Amino acid sequence: MERRCFLQAGLATAELSLLLASGLVPTRVLAEWPSDAFHAGNMAEIERILFGDAQIEDTDQITIDAPDIAENGAKVPVDVRVQLPGAESLVLLSEKNPFPLLAQAHFTPEVESDLSVRVKMGDTGNLVAIVEADGKLYRAVRAVKVAAGGCGA
């Protein structure tokens, strides 16, 4: 059994080395996670860190698709669809989580500006999507009831 594991690990390492050498696997991450915003304890602080004093306008051009009642807060499926032209980035927040920042995405003109993720929600509350498009900020809010929290105590 040990020989088989050794051989499998050796083959996996060889395959990864070939992919790295060919340039098919990136050797560095281009995006940087905003750790200050992630560790912020409330929505206002996150918005200040990520967007400064910029005004955020509510819109119906952003759709947050999530269950009305999440049976398990540890894995809540969320789809965000953006119909704003020139969408550049999206931030997804949960107001009741200990760490409200759930996801951040950057878009290029070649891709659709939609996001599908599974998130943890600690308690019943609002999911908030903030999108930057054409230099302006837009927000959509969706209430989700959580039957059993997913963030632990």
Side-chain angles (χ1 to χ4, degrees):
M1 185 67 152
E2 289 179 29
R3 181 174 179 228
R4 183 181 300 159
C5 290
F6 178 75
L7 290 174
Q8 287 175 338
L11 289 173
T13 303
E15 290 172 357
L16 182 59
S17 297
L18 287 172
L19 288 173
L20 285 170
S22 68
L24 295 175
V25 175
T27 56
R28 63 184 177 148
V29 175
L30 299 177
E32 190 172 306
W33 181 255
S35 64
D36 289 349
F38 178 75
H39 292 292
N42 63 56
M43 303 275 284
E45 187 177 354
I46 291 171
E47 289 178 10
R48 183 188 54 74
I49 291 169
L50 294 177
F51 309 115
D53 294 331
Q55 294 296 314
I56 303 174
E57 179 182 327
D58 291 329
T59 184
D60 60 355
Q61 302 259 325
I62 303 169
T63 306
I64 303 173
D65 227 0
D68 291 329
I69 300 173
E71 295 298 325
N72 182 355
K75 51 183 180 182
V76 180
V78 179
D79 294 318
V80 182
R81 287 190 261 322
V82 181
Q83 297 168 337
L84 295 163
E88 300 164 20
S89 66
L90 181 147
V91 173
L92 184 62
L93 307 162
S94 174
E95 69 180 1
K96 294 288 182 99
N97 277 16
F99 300 107
L101 181 57
L102 300 174
Q104 184 177 27
H106 295 279
F107 306 114
T108 63
E110 294 82 22
V111 299
E112 289 184 23
S113 49
D114 296 341
L115 178 70
S116 292
V117 294
R118 289 190 183 270
V119 299
K120 287 186 176 185
M121 292 185 67
D123 202 355
T124 295
N126 289 328
L127 288 173
V128 179
I130 300 174
V131 173
E132 182 178 0
D134 289 332
K136 294 183 180 179
L137 296 172
Y138 301 92
R139 171 184 17 239
V141 178
R142 170 82 158 86
V144 176
K145 292 181 183 178
V146 176
C151 291

